[in-house]
PDB file of all heavy atoms in Angstrom:
ATOM      1  N   ALA A 572     -11.470   4.135 -13.222  1.00  0.00           N
ATOM      2  CA  ALA A 572     -10.054   4.485 -13.273  1.00  0.00           C
ATOM      3  C   ALA A 572      -9.543   4.867 -11.902  1.00  0.00           C
ATOM      4  O   ALA A 572      -8.518   5.500 -11.779  1.00  0.00           O
ATOM      5  CB  ALA A 572      -9.825   5.624 -14.251  1.00  0.00           C
ATOM      6  N   HIS A 573     -10.302   4.460 -10.878  1.00  0.00           N
ATOM      7  CA  HIS A 573      -9.923   4.729  -9.499  1.00  0.00           C
ATOM      8  C   HIS A 573      -9.783   6.225  -9.258  1.00  0.00           C
ATOM      9  O   HIS A 573      -8.859   6.696  -8.601  1.00  0.00           O
ATOM     10  CB  HIS A 573      -8.621   4.022  -9.138  1.00  0.00           C
ATOM     11  CG  HIS A 573      -8.470   3.849  -7.659  1.00  0.00           C
ATOM     12  ND1 HIS A 573      -9.340   3.113  -6.920  1.00  0.00           N
ATOM     13  CD2 HIS A 573      -7.562   4.342  -6.794  1.00  0.00           C
ATOM     14  CE1 HIS A 573      -8.963   3.128  -5.668  1.00  0.00           C
ATOM     15  NE2 HIS A 573      -7.888   3.874  -5.560  1.00  0.00           N
ATOM     16  N   GLU A 574     -10.722   6.975  -9.825  1.00  0.00           N
ATOM     17  CA  GLU A 574     -10.719   8.405  -9.612  1.00  0.00           C
ATOM     18  C   GLU A 574     -12.142   8.856  -9.388  1.00  0.00           C
ATOM     19  O   GLU A 574     -13.088   8.219  -9.826  1.00  0.00           O
ATOM     20  CB  GLU A 574     -10.118   9.142 -10.804  1.00  0.00           C
ATOM     21  CG  GLU A 574     -10.847   8.873 -12.096  1.00  0.00           C
ATOM     22  CD  GLU A 574     -10.002   9.231 -13.293  1.00  0.00           C
ATOM     23  OE1 GLU A 574      -8.774   9.121 -13.204  1.00  0.00           O
ATOM     24  OE2 GLU A 574     -10.583   9.617 -14.306  1.00  0.00           O
ATOM     25  N   MET A 575     -12.315   9.949  -8.688  1.00  0.00           N
ATOM     26  CA  MET A 575     -13.627  10.443  -8.353  1.00  0.00           C
ATOM     27  C   MET A 575     -13.747  11.869  -8.838  1.00  0.00           C
ATOM     28  O   MET A 575     -12.885  12.696  -8.610  1.00  0.00           O
ATOM     29  CB  MET A 575     -13.849  10.365  -6.845  1.00  0.00           C
ATOM     30  CG  MET A 575     -13.683   8.960  -6.338  1.00  0.00           C
ATOM     31  SD  MET A 575     -13.677   8.873  -4.580  1.00  0.00           S
ATOM     32  CE  MET A 575     -13.153   7.178  -4.379  1.00  0.00           C
ATOM     33  N   VAL A 576     -14.842  12.154  -9.517  1.00  0.00           N
ATOM     34  CA  VAL A 576     -15.025  13.465 -10.117  1.00  0.00           C
ATOM     35  C   VAL A 576     -16.244  14.118  -9.496  1.00  0.00           C
ATOM     36  O   VAL A 576     -17.314  13.527  -9.475  1.00  0.00           O
ATOM     37  CB  VAL A 576     -15.212  13.353 -11.648  1.00  0.00           C
ATOM     38  CG1 VAL A 576     -15.346  14.730 -12.263  1.00  0.00           C
ATOM     39  CG2 VAL A 576     -14.059  12.594 -12.260  1.00  0.00           C
ATOM     40  N   ASP A 577     -16.087  15.322  -8.997  1.00  0.00           N
ATOM     41  CA  ASP A 577     -17.187  16.075  -8.404  1.00  0.00           C
ATOM     42  C   ASP A 577     -17.799  16.957  -9.474  1.00  0.00           C
ATOM     43  O   ASP A 577     -17.145  17.843 -10.007  1.00  0.00           O
ATOM     44  CB  ASP A 577     -16.681  16.928  -7.248  1.00  0.00           C
ATOM     45  CG  ASP A 577     -17.799  17.775  -6.668  1.00  0.00           C
ATOM     46  OD1 ASP A 577     -18.813  17.209  -6.247  1.00  0.00           O
ATOM     47  OD2 ASP A 577     -17.629  18.997  -6.649  1.00  0.00           O
ATOM     48  N   THR A 578     -19.051  16.684  -9.808  1.00  0.00           N
ATOM     49  CA  THR A 578     -19.725  17.422 -10.854  1.00  0.00           C
ATOM     50  C   THR A 578     -20.870  18.200 -10.257  1.00  0.00           C
ATOM     51  O   THR A 578     -21.741  17.612  -9.627  1.00  0.00           O
ATOM     52  CB  THR A 578     -20.262  16.464 -11.937  1.00  0.00           C
ATOM     53  OG1 THR A 578     -19.190  15.671 -12.411  1.00  0.00           O
ATOM     54  CG2 THR A 578     -20.893  17.240 -13.075  1.00  0.00           C
ATOM     55  N   VAL A 579     -20.866  19.492 -10.445  1.00  0.00           N
ATOM     56  CA  VAL A 579     -21.923  20.334  -9.913  1.00  0.00           C
ATOM     57  C   VAL A 579     -22.974  20.540 -10.981  1.00  0.00           C
ATOM     58  O   VAL A 579     -22.669  20.988 -12.085  1.00  0.00           O
ATOM     59  CB  VAL A 579     -21.361  21.697  -9.457  1.00  0.00           C
ATOM     60  CG1 VAL A 579     -22.468  22.582  -8.913  1.00  0.00           C
ATOM     61  CG2 VAL A 579     -20.297  21.477  -8.400  1.00  0.00           C
ATOM     62  N   LYS A 580     -24.212  20.217 -10.634  1.00  0.00           N
ATOM     63  CA  LYS A 580     -25.324  20.356 -11.562  1.00  0.00           C
ATOM     64  C   LYS A 580     -26.266  21.427 -11.033  1.00  0.00           C
ATOM     65  O   LYS A 580     -26.663  21.388  -9.879  1.00  0.00           O
ATOM     66  CB  LYS A 580     -26.072  19.029 -11.721  1.00  0.00           C
ATOM     67  CG  LYS A 580     -25.277  17.930 -12.377  1.00  0.00           C
ATOM     68  CD  LYS A 580     -26.096  16.661 -12.372  1.00  0.00           C
ATOM     69  CE  LYS A 580     -25.350  15.535 -13.073  1.00  0.00           C
ATOM     70  NZ  LYS A 580     -25.372  15.660 -14.512  1.00  0.00           N
ATOM     71  N   SER A 581     -26.665  22.342 -11.873  1.00  0.00           N
ATOM     72  CA  SER A 581     -27.616  23.367 -11.462  1.00  0.00           C
ATOM     73  C   SER A 581     -29.013  22.808 -11.496  1.00  0.00           C
ATOM     74  O   SER A 581     -29.282  21.754 -12.064  1.00  0.00           O
ATOM     75  CB  SER A 581     -27.517  24.567 -12.406  1.00  0.00           C
ATOM     76  OG  SER A 581     -27.909  24.188 -13.711  1.00  0.00           O
ATOM     77  N   ASP A 582     -29.965  23.539 -10.901  1.00  0.00           N
ATOM     78  CA  ASP A 582     -31.356  23.100 -10.911  1.00  0.00           C
ATOM     79  C   ASP A 582     -31.891  23.040 -12.325  1.00  0.00           C
ATOM     80  O   ASP A 582     -32.720  22.186 -12.658  1.00  0.00           O
ATOM     81  CB  ASP A 582     -32.197  24.051 -10.063  1.00  0.00           C
ATOM     82  CG  ASP A 582     -31.875  23.920  -8.587  1.00  0.00           C
ATOM     83  OD1 ASP A 582     -31.339  22.866  -8.198  1.00  0.00           O
ATOM     84  OD2 ASP A 582     -32.164  24.862  -7.836  1.00  0.00           O
ATOM     85  N   THR A 583     -31.408  23.927 -13.186  1.00  0.00           N
ATOM     86  CA  THR A 583     -31.864  23.922 -14.576  1.00  0.00           C
ATOM     87  C   THR A 583     -31.428  22.651 -15.283  1.00  0.00           C
ATOM     88  O   THR A 583     -32.208  22.021 -16.008  1.00  0.00           O
ATOM     89  CB  THR A 583     -31.301  25.139 -15.321  1.00  0.00           C
ATOM     90  OG1 THR A 583     -31.688  26.319 -14.624  1.00  0.00           O
ATOM     91  CG2 THR A 583     -31.809  25.185 -16.744  1.00  0.00           C
ATOM     92  N   ASP A 584     -30.184  22.249 -15.074  1.00  0.00           N
ATOM     93  CA  ASP A 584     -29.689  21.008 -15.681  1.00  0.00           C
ATOM     94  C   ASP A 584     -30.503  19.824 -15.210  1.00  0.00           C
ATOM     95  O   ASP A 584     -30.810  18.907 -15.979  1.00  0.00           O
ATOM     96  CB  ASP A 584     -28.219  20.796 -15.330  1.00  0.00           C
ATOM     97  CG  ASP A 584     -27.338  21.859 -15.947  1.00  0.00           C
ATOM     98  OD1 ASP A 584     -27.744  22.419 -16.972  1.00  0.00           O
ATOM     99  OD2 ASP A 584     -26.253  22.114 -15.384  1.00  0.00           O
ATOM    100  N   TRP A 585     -30.860  19.839 -13.946  1.00  0.00           N
ATOM    101  CA  TRP A 585     -31.633  18.721 -13.409  1.00  0.00           C
ATOM    102  C   TRP A 585     -33.014  18.669 -14.046  1.00  0.00           C
ATOM    103  O   TRP A 585     -33.505  17.614 -14.420  1.00  0.00           O
ATOM    104  CB  TRP A 585     -31.750  18.871 -11.895  1.00  0.00           C
ATOM    105  CG  TRP A 585     -32.545  17.769 -11.277  1.00  0.00           C
ATOM    106  CD1 TRP A 585     -33.881  17.734 -11.057  1.00  0.00           C
ATOM    107  CD2 TRP A 585     -32.048  16.525 -10.827  1.00  0.00           C
ATOM    108  NE1 TRP A 585     -34.250  16.558 -10.497  1.00  0.00           N
ATOM    109  CE2 TRP A 585     -33.143  15.784 -10.339  1.00  0.00           C
ATOM    110  CE3 TRP A 585     -30.776  15.951 -10.792  1.00  0.00           C
ATOM    111  CZ2 TRP A 585     -33.000  14.506  -9.812  1.00  0.00           C
ATOM    112  CZ3 TRP A 585     -30.644  14.685 -10.271  1.00  0.00           C
ATOM    113  CH2 TRP A 585     -31.734  13.985  -9.784  1.00  0.00           C
ATOM    114  N   ASP A 586     -33.643  19.853 -14.210  1.00  0.00           N
ATOM    115  CA  ASP A 586     -34.973  19.894 -14.815  1.00  0.00           C
ATOM    116  C   ASP A 586     -34.940  19.389 -16.244  1.00  0.00           C
ATOM    117  O   ASP A 586     -35.844  18.678 -16.689  1.00  0.00           O
ATOM    118  CB  ASP A 586     -35.500  21.341 -14.795  1.00  0.00           C
ATOM    119  CG  ASP A 586     -35.788  21.813 -13.372  1.00  0.00           C
ATOM    120  OD1 ASP A 586     -35.994  20.941 -12.506  1.00  0.00           O
ATOM    121  OD2 ASP A 586     -35.798  23.043 -13.146  1.00  0.00           O
TER     122      ASP A 586
END
Side-chain angles (χ1 to χ4, degrees):
H573 201 62
E574 59 198 31
M575 302 171 190
V576 182
D577 177 57
T578 305
V579 179
K580 294 176 178 284
S581 64
D582 291 339
T583 304
D584 294 334
W585 179 270
D586 292 337

